[in-house]
Amino acid sequence: MPDSTGVELVVIAALTAAFVISAFTGLHKGIKWLSTTNVVLAVGLMAFIFVVGPTIYTLEVLPASVGDYLSHLMVMSTRTGAFTDPAWLGGWTIFYWAWWISWAPFVGIFIARISRGRTIRQFVTGVLLVPSAASVVWFAIIGGTALRVQMTGTRDLVTDVGKSTENALFGLLQALPLAAVTTVLASVLVALFFITGADSAALVLGSLSSKGALRPHRGVVVLWGVLIGAVAAALLLAGGLAALQQATILVALPFVVVMLGLAVALLRDMSRDPMANPHLARARRSGLAAAVRAARSYEEEEPPPVTRWFHRGPS
């Protein structure tokens, strides 16, 4: 398929329609089904590459890469443009730093939405530890296989990367058995990753624009979904990925101050929690916990049963 702006706009329109329909069906239907399908297909593709690829080499890459990451964590975390290429930092380190900060409002609210009733320990495990461990395994298998393919000369992935980044993934799959099947599977996965991220963003934006309602009106969700697709198309026409990177960094920078304030507020509220400080158990309930209990969203999540009163006339 030719790489042109027209084709890219058609892809954006198709994906926008898909995630609008998913968000329209609600959290427990379309979004849940697509997310589950996404995880199953990703695990299946990863397991396939692990089995048919250099399995022993991948098992060696996993601990070696984790150890190398931990040993260089402080250096990489404090790296600036003083002793390295600033362009590389802007295109990778700063861009992804800003990328995740710009996604923080949507992802945070969406995760809080689906994590109601969980303890803090369960929340940290499910949001931080499990995804981080899964990402380590994913990069070890996919990245380790790519390194082995490049070193053995089975496929020149460096040339593929020079053409375009996405060519490296499909070039790797071409070097493995059942390339026709795995290529289609990878394309579906890329689309599902985009759809599941965008429909959750549309749902959160609908909730925020509906005074925090957990079940915003479907028309509002559809409107936000269409606007997300329109913004993506506008950024594509304005300059492609470079415009997207610049917009992401500009939007994320002011929100850093908000995130710092949220962190301070969370620590203060947790320090006043009766479970952490039993002597405050009899104190007047205040803060985040009391506000959440009184929020109208709880009534929307589990509405009380309808009671019908039948008034009899005087006998």
Side-chain angles (χ1 to χ4, degrees):
M1 181 178 293
D3 186 10
S4 64
T5 302
V7 173
E8 292 172 345
L9 290 176
V10 171
V11 172
I12 290 177
L15 293 177
T16 300
F19 73 72
V20 165
I21 295 174
S22 172
F24 182 82
T25 58
L27 177 65
H28 299 290
K29 293 181 181 179
I31 296 178
K32 181 179 179 180
W33 184 84
L34 285 178
S35 300
T36 304
T37 304
N38 196 15
V39 172
V40 171
L41 292 180
V43 172
L45 179 63
M46 182 176 63
F48 173 79
I49 295 177
F50 177 74
V51 172
V52 302
T55 305
I56 302 300
Y57 181 76
T58 300
L59 294 175
E60 294 175 347
V61 166
L62 180 58
S65 58
V66 172
D68 185 73
Y69 170 78
L70 294 177
S71 63
H72 292 83
L73 179 60
M74 183 59 67
V75 176
M76 291 187 295
S77 300
T78 57
R79 182 175 296 167
T80 64
F83 305 109
T84 187
D85 184 12
W88 189 90
L89 287 175
W92 288 92
T93 305
I94 298 177
F95 168 66
Y96 282 104
W97 162 81
W99 176 269
W100 286 114
I101 291 178
S102 63
W103 270 93
F106 309 108
V107 176
I109 295 176
F110 182 76
I111 293 177
R113 168 71 172 82
I114 64 177
S115 301
R116 181 189 170 205
R118 307 285 188 235
T119 64
I120 295 179
R121 182 181 293 105
Q122 292 172 334
F123 182 82
V124 172
T125 301
V127 174
L128 294 179
L129 301 183
V130 173
S132 298
S135 298
V136 169
V137 175
W138 173 274
F139 283 110
I141 294 176
I142 306 299
T145 302
L147 288 174
R148 193 64 173 177
V149 167
Q150 178 67 34
M151 290 189 298
T152 57
T154 306
R155 176 87 180 192
D156 189 4
L157 298 178
V158 175
T159 302
D160 292 334
V161 172
K163 296 178 181 177
S164 64
T165 306
E166 58 272 14
N167 279 349
L169 172 61
F170 294 104
L172 172 63
L173 297 177
Q174 291 291 332
L176 300 175
L178 301 178
V181 177
T182 54
T183 300
V184 174
L185 179 60
S187 301
V188 173
L189 269 174
V190 171
L192 287 180
F193 273 120
F194 177 84
I195 293 172
T196 52
D199 58 15
S200 61
L203 187 65
V204 169
L205 288 171
S207 177
L208 293 176
S209 57
S210 302
K211 300 181 180 179
L214 291 181
R215 296 176 181 177
H217 193 275
R218 292 181 177 180
V220 177
V221 175
V222 171
L223 175 62
W224 278 113
V226 173
L227 289 176
I228 291 174
V231 170
L235 288 174
L236 174 65
L237 295 175
L241 182 60
L244 175 61
Q245 290 178 333
Q246 295 174 3
T248 301
I249 294 174
L250 290 176
V251 171
L253 185 58
F255 195 73
V256 173
V257 180
V258 179
M259 291 184 65
L260 293 175
L262 290 173
V264 173
L266 177 62
L267 291 175
R268 291 183 59 185
D269 194 76
M270 291 178 64
S271 64
R272 299 173 183 175
D273 191 281
M275 296 297 293
N277 296 284
H279 65 279
L280 297 177
R282 296 182 180 180
R284 180 177 178 270
R285 292 182 177 180
S286 61
L288 179 61
V292 171
R293 291 190 189 96
R296 59 188 290 267
S297 58
Y298 271 71
E299 299 178 358
E300 297 172 0
E301 183 70 15
E302 295 180 358
V306 177
T307 303
R308 301 180 183 273
W309 295 91
F310 297 93
H311 299 280
R312 296 182 179 179
S315 54

